[in-house]
Amino acid sequence: MSRFKAITPQDRPTFKVAFLYRSHALISRETFITFQKTYDEIVNTLVTCQDEDELWRFVRSMFDFDDYADTVPINAANLSITFDAVQRLMNAMALDWNRDISIQKRIQPYVYTIQAARELIAKQLNVDPKLIAFMRNGSDPNAVINNGMDFEPGDEVVVWNENHPTNGDVAWKIRKERFPNINIVVLDLEGETNEEKIIEKFLAKVNEHTRIVTFSEVSHLSGMRLPAKSLIAKIHEQNKDVHVHLDGAQSWGAFKHDLKSIDCDSYCGGSHKWFLGPKETGILYMKTKSVPKFWPKDIGYNGEMQPPPTLPGDKLPVDASRFEMVGQRNDTNLMGLLYTADLMELIGFEKIERRIKALTMRLRDGLEDMAPEVGNVFEIETPEELSQYHGILTIKFVGEVSSELNEFVYNKLYQDHKIGVSTKKENRMRFSPHIYNTEEHIDRAVKAIKYELTKIHRN
């Protein structure tokens, strides 16, 4: 007899919540039966599948876009597709709930949903559930960090110049307009890829006046992945009072995380990118000791449907719920977040990480092989070292007509080849494949770029 307990759909948190909804008549019998049939098939397939090629074929079928009639997305760094089963349940729930939105029916299932989602995601990140706040996206928690701390004259904030704008020098300079006594220190690695020298460059900016160091785990521009764990350890070693905020917008869902081991003081991410979750959902993790240092951005009802403090003397929460007083939410999004977290765990974050990396490496190989054939009109900006990139690959067009070339190829990929990528300032084009992509998608993108550039090169 096996000592491992078999995983059954009824054991999973998503089923338990859906069952609770049905027992409260919040969803119809038809909605529940449709959900159960699909969910049983997904769970049983993911649990029993042993062959990875077979696994990724099945995962591809979990996303409802046609390989040729629809646009193939290779743009997870901006926006990903939601699992079809998740989206359909959310849609059905929204229609069902219109029949009765009374507090009596909603409150218990709502609170149970958010508790189940918080516990599952906290387990995946290896932290206490009380330290996870659910936010509206990945920008929302960055606003908590940017706006929440009180500063004294001479205090400094160190910002990587490849941070997302909501966590970058622009956001902090706007903060400085209100509080001119803080000093914004912008760090430019200047193309450095050596890990020790990267850490040295960060440490050179950290001193006794530094209050916050904030950086993206993976750059949305170059795709560079910083050595977060060792970097944070060295920063804390140099100044134990520095609050290190790790922006996981380009990493949450893309690979397995152990935030306790990484030891950041706060971490955030939006679920609509690599986590494959519903739009307008995200997370903020913050260590218990750091919570009192930050004021909440919003004052409203929290995730447990509790009202905000009513008197100035009332104490704010001392865990992450301090930052979750966001008021009324779209309840179906929270169910979608739970369902997504459930599916991501069943697939396995280690497998997801390997798959994304393999697709990105395949893309890189194809682009590198092609470059000389089209006159070397572009160069790959993403670092070569395997540990320094993951799911994002950025190319930069060079030469006198680089800007026009970038815009031309970007539009041609979409209009003529039905491939969706992202173009950025300074003649850059960004690719970011995910588990809904196939090897054929990657090869088609390379072939399409080669076709368009070859026509221009020959002329």
Side-chain angles (χ1 to χ4, degrees):
M1 181 181 294
S2 172
R3 61 189 179 90
F4 297 106
K5 181 182 177 182
I7 297 175
T8 62
Q10 290 73 25
D11 293 329
R12 304 295 301 177
T14 306
F15 181 88
K16 292 177 181 178
V17 172
F19 184 82
L20 181 64
Y21 289 163
R22 178 59 194 141
S23 67
H24 279 66
L26 273 167
I27 58 175
S28 68
R29 180 174 181 272
E30 179 184 7
T31 296
F32 182 75
I33 289 174
T34 301
F35 156 76
Q36 185 176 20
K37 180 180 178 182
T38 303
Y39 189 68
D40 285 356
E41 178 190 358
I42 291 173
V43 174
N44 290 327
T45 301
L46 293 178
V47 168
T48 59
C49 186
Q50 299 296 317
D51 180 77
E52 286 218 7
D53 288 339
E54 181 183 342
L55 168 67
W56 298 123
R57 281 194 296 272
F58 180 74
V59 168
R60 170 66 188 90
S61 74
M62 295 170 71
F63 297 91
D64 190 24
F65 68 92
D66 186 272
D67 282 335
Y68 293 93
D70 299 319
T71 298
V72 171
I74 311 182
N75 193 21
N78 174 247
L79 182 66
S80 278
I81 301 172
T82 308
F83 287 102
D84 185 55
V86 174
Q87 189 65 60
R88 290 182 183 277
L89 178 60
M90 290 170 60
N91 293 347
M93 282 174 54
L95 293 172
D96 287 345
W97 285 17
N98 279 340
R99 300 190 182 99
D100 189 344
I101 58 170
S102 61
I103 292 176
Q104 291 93 328
K105 276 199 171 184
R106 283 178 54 243
I107 190 166
Q108 183 184 346
Y110 172 87
V111 172
Y112 185 74
T113 304
I114 204 166
Q115 289 171 341
R118 199 189 317 279
E119 288 175 5
L120 181 57
I121 291 172
K123 185 187 77 171
Q124 293 170 355
L125 296 173
N126 191 29
V127 294
D128 185 334
K130 292 182 179 179
L131 304 181
I132 294 286
F134 288 146
M135 312 294 283
R136 295 186 181 95
N137 47 45
S139 301
D140 221 26
N142 278 335
V144 170
I145 303 301
N146 182 276
N147 288 280
M149 183 176 279
D150 291 332
F151 291 103
E152 299 294 333
D155 285 347
E156 296 186 351
V157 177
V158 178
V159 182
W160 186 28
N161 73 322
E162 292 196 30
N163 283 359
H164 188 272
T166 63
N167 185 35
D169 63 318
V170 173
W172 283 99
K173 285 175 182 176
I174 293 172
R175 173 81 147 100
K176 187 176 174 65
E177 289 292 316
R178 292 167 54 209
F179 303 97
N181 58 17
I182 60 173
N183 184 26
I184 312 303
V185 180
V186 180
L187 171 66
D188 185 349
L189 293 177
E190 300 176 320
E192 184 58 68
T193 58
N194 179 275
E195 181 172 325
E196 290 184 3
K197 292 181 179 179
I198 288 172
I199 294 174
E200 286 176 6
K201 281 181 173 288
F202 267 90
L203 295 181
K205 303 294 185 181
V206 177
N207 55 52
E208 68 273 17
H209 302 293
T210 308
R211 298 291 303 284
I212 295 176
V213 175
T214 177
F215 61 89
S216 297
E217 188 169 15
V218 175
S219 166
H220 74 293
L221 295 173
S222 67
M224 183 176 193
R225 179 179 178 179
L226 292 179
K229 182 176 179 178
S230 54
L231 179 54
I232 292 168
K234 291 295 184 181
I235 292 172
H236 282 153
E237 184 179 312
Q238 182 151 314
N239 185 340
K240 62 181 178 61
D241 295 322
V242 169
H243 181 98
V244 183
H245 176 60
L246 185 62
D247 187 339
Q250 302 299 345
S251 60
W252 182 39
F255 42 84
K256 187 174 178 61
H257 278 83
D258 184 341
L259 295 184
K260 188 176 292 185
S261 175
I262 293 174
D263 200 33
C264 54
D265 297 294
S266 58
Y267 175 90
C268 70
S271 79
H272 61 280
K273 297 182 187 288
W274 300 95
F275 201 73
L276 302 175
K279 302 164 190 68
E280 295 192 3
T281 54
I283 59 166
L284 171 63
Y285 156 79
M286 189 175 289
K287 284 181 179 177
T288 304
K289 70 174 186 178
S290 298
V291 170
K293 299 177 184 178
F294 291 86
W295 291 95
K297 184 176 65 66
D298 303 292
I299 303 294
Y301 276 73
N302 68 11
E304 310 300 327
M305 297 290 282
Q306 298 297 316
T310 56
L311 297 171
D314 289 351
K315 292 184 178 180
L316 291 168
V318 293
D319 56 24
S321 64
R322 184 186 189 97
F323 311 112
E324 201 176 303
M325 298 185 290
V326 295
Q328 183 61 57
R329 298 183 174 195
N330 182 346
D331 297 355
T332 60
N333 274 1
L334 296 167
M335 180 59 176
L337 184 60
L338 170 64
Y339 199 168
T340 301
D342 195 2
L343 296 182
M344 294 288 275
E345 182 168 281
L346 285 166
I347 295 169
F349 287 100
E350 294 91 346
K351 292 179 182 177
I352 292 169
E353 179 174 349
R354 290 198 301 270
R355 178 63 171 176
I356 293 172
K357 192 58 170 282
L359 291 173
T360 312
M361 290 171 63
R362 187 183 187 98
L363 175 62
R364 180 171 210 132
D365 289 345
L367 291 172
E368 286 178 343
D369 290 344
M370 175 226 303
E373 300 179 43
V374 296
N376 291 309
V377 294
F378 67 84
E379 56 189 26
I380 298 177
E381 283 202 320
T382 305
E384 292 183 80
E385 178 63 40
L386 289 178
S387 64
Q388 291 184 335
Y389 75 96
H390 186 57
I392 295 176
L393 197 72
T394 300
I395 64 174
K396 182 176 182 179
F397 288 90
V398 295
E400 293 182 2
V401 293
S402 56
S403 180
E404 295 86 347
L405 201 56
N406 178 50
E407 194 68 20
F408 174 78
V409 174
Y410 169 68
N411 287 325
K412 278 291 187 179
L413 284 177
Y414 177 68
Q415 294 166 0
D416 294 355
H417 303 278
K418 290 188 176 296
I419 296 170
V421 297
S422 175
T423 187
K424 290 287 181 181
K425 62 182 181 179
E426 298 177 357
N427 313 323
R428 291 176 173 88
M429 189 175 297
R430 185 184 69 187
F431 307 82
S432 42
H434 210 328
I435 59 173
Y436 44 67
N437 289 122
T438 65
E439 289 86 353
E440 193 275 335
H441 294 161
I442 302 302
D443 296 345
R444 194 195 316 174
V446 171
K447 184 177 179 181
I449 295 169
K450 182 178 180 180
Y451 173 77
E452 298 299 339
L453 291 178
T454 299
K455 286 195 302 181
I456 296 171
H457 182 56
R458 286 175 178 172
N459 292 332

